[in-house]
Amino acid sequence: MLKLVLTDIDGVWTDGGMYYDQTGNEWKKFHTYDSAGVLFCHQANIPVGIITGEETEIVKRRAEKLKINYLFQGAKDKLGIATNLCKELGISLSEVAYIGDDINDIELLKNAGISACPNSAPECVKQVVQIILKKDGGEGVFREFVEYILSENIK
């Protein structure tokens, strides 16, 4: 039974690009479809957590707006963070679904109960996940992931 959904941000919720203007502002484009994925999890009483290697105000603001339950930025050891969160919640990694797209996601992808990546992920990531989604990062792939796992979880 699924008890927690965790996600990376860059390359999953975004296309992986980082945009900077001449005054030093950083920009990320989020697809509104992904916010529905968070809503679907909340409606199913499944908490959502973000674990990202980046540390930005942009992600913090997005997480606050969507009422994300857990936010971990500047993550160096995503598996360690997920393991500690599971201990805190009294659940196991087998009850966690995780979507990530790059090398720093591989260990958590290998250990999560359900693992997925966007179609745009590199081959080394595709080789370790259970589900390769149809959409690329930044195209609403988090929502696609949530719809898939919730429909499978209900069966």
Side-chain angles (χ1 to χ4, degrees), residues 8-38:
D8 181 33
I9 288 291
D10 293 314
V12 177
W13 288 44
T14 75
D15 63 7
M18 293 188 181
Y19 308 93
Y20 298 93
D21 69 18
Q22 66 275 14
T23 62
N25 291 314
E26 181 179 344
W27 302 81
K28 294 180 187 284
K29 181 183 121 193
F30 296 99
H31 201 296
T32 57
Y33 284 175
D34 290 327
S35 58
V38 175

Side-chain angles (χ1 to χ4, degrees), residues 7-10 13-14 26-28 30 38 48-74:
T7 179
D8 181 33
I9 288 291
D10 293 314
W13 288 44
T14 75
E26 181 179 344
W27 302 81
K28 294 180 187 284
F30 296 99
V38 175
V48 177
I50 293 171
I51 305 177
T52 178
E54 290 288 315
E55 191 155 348
T56 66
E57 187 64 27
I58 298 166
V59 172
K60 180 181 174 198
R61 285 180 46 216
R62 189 74 177 143
E64 288 171 353
K65 181 175 183 172
L66 298 179
K67 297 179 176 44
I68 298 291
N69 303 88
Y70 307 99
L71 173 61
F72 302 95
Q73 295 199 82

Side-chain angles (χ1 to χ4, degrees), residues 4-5 8 13 16 22 24 40 46-47 68 70 76 84 86 88 91 96 99 107 109 117 134 148-149:
L4 177 65
V5 174
D8 181 33
W13 288 44
Q22 66 275 14
F40 298 154
I46 300 170
I68 298 291
Y70 307 99
K76 303 286 185 251
N84 289 337
C86 285
E88 182 182 309
I91 64 173
V96 174
I99 180 170
E107 290 307 310
L109 289 166
C117 70
K134 294 177 186 171
Y148 178 86
I149 59 178

Side-chain angles (χ1 to χ4, degrees), residues 4 6 51 72 74-89 91 93 96 98 104-112:
L4 177 65
L6 296 174
I51 305 177
F72 302 95
K76 303 286 185 251
D77 177 9
K78 292 184 178 187
L79 176 58
I81 289 168
T83 300
N84 289 337
L85 180 58
C86 285
K87 285 179 187 171
E88 182 182 309
L89 297 174
I91 64 173
L93 280 170
V96 174
Y98 181 65
N104 61 343
D105 298 304
I106 288 177
E107 290 307 310
L108 182 48
L109 289 166
K110 285 180 179 178
N111 286 278

